[in-house]
Amino acid sequence: MTEINVESNKKQRIENTQTREVEDEHITCTICSEVWTSGGEHCLVSLKCGHLFGKSCIARWITERAQKLGDKKTFCPICMKPARLNDIRIVVPIKLVVKDTAEINLLKKEVEMKKSKICEYQNTLELARLSLNLSKRELKRAQDTLL
């Protein structure tokens, strides 16, 4: 009976993972695989062909292709239809899941501050170690001169 439960749990986890992957396909940029944001540089945009991307990704895609191939040769990365920078349109959906990155950005800043603090502590620790070694050497010299 336990063996059946284990198999059932494994199957359920696999199904949950597959469901999340399918859901993620509908809320992520096809260029970078990141979730679209509700505003800013990676907000949801579309091209004339209707394919959806993060704004910064498709703008970079079109710009890079235009530089390499010439303006008339840029295309949608999905359907290969012609695409230009002025074809990019911001999508304002009625109901769509977008990622609110405000909390993530705050946490990233907090992590950076903690990393900076760790570096400060490491430098302080290194100075303390050097000072300790210097004191040990002076003590050793003093002991040697007394003997």
Side-chain angles (χ1 to χ4, degrees), residues 8-72:
S8 176
N9 288 341
K10 284 182 183 178
K11 185 177 180 181
Q12 185 64 41
R13 280 194 302 258
I14 290 170
E15 288 173 359
N16 288 343
T17 301
Q18 289 171 342
T19 302
R20 267 186 258 121
E21 287 172 359
V22 169
E23 288 172 355
D24 286 350
E25 287 177 11
H26 300 293
I27 62 170
T28 59
C29 175
T30 55
I31 295 174
C32 69
S33 298
E34 292 293 320
V35 177
W36 298 307
T37 58
S38 53
E41 289 298 309
H42 206 255
C43 66
L44 179 61
V45 297
S46 72
L47 293 175
K48 278 185 178 180
C49 60
H51 289 111
L52 303 173
F53 305 95
K55 183 179 178 184
S56 58
C57 290
I58 195 61
R60 185 177 63 245
W61 173 275
I62 291 171
T63 302
E64 288 174 359
R65 297 306 174 283
Q67 289 172 351
K68 288 180 183 177
L69 306 172
D71 285 334
K72 296 184 180 180

Side-chain angles (χ1 to χ4, degrees), residues 106-121:
L106 287 173
L107 291 172
K108 284 180 180 179
K109 285 180 184 177
E110 187 178 331
V111 166
E112 288 304 314
M113 288 173 38
K114 298 284 184 188
K115 284 181 180 179
S116 174
K117 206 66 167 159
I118 287 171
C119 284
E120 286 179 35
Y121 290 145

Side-chain angles (χ1 to χ4, degrees), residues 80-104:
M80 307 304 260
K81 289 184 180 175
R84 296 176 302 156
L85 283 175
N86 55 352
D87 292 338
I88 297 173
R89 301 287 182 262
I90 294 176
V91 176
V92 183
I94 293 172
K95 184 177 181 181
L96 182 71
V97 177
V98 292
K99 186 176 185 179
D100 182 6
T101 58
E103 188 174 347
I104 291 172

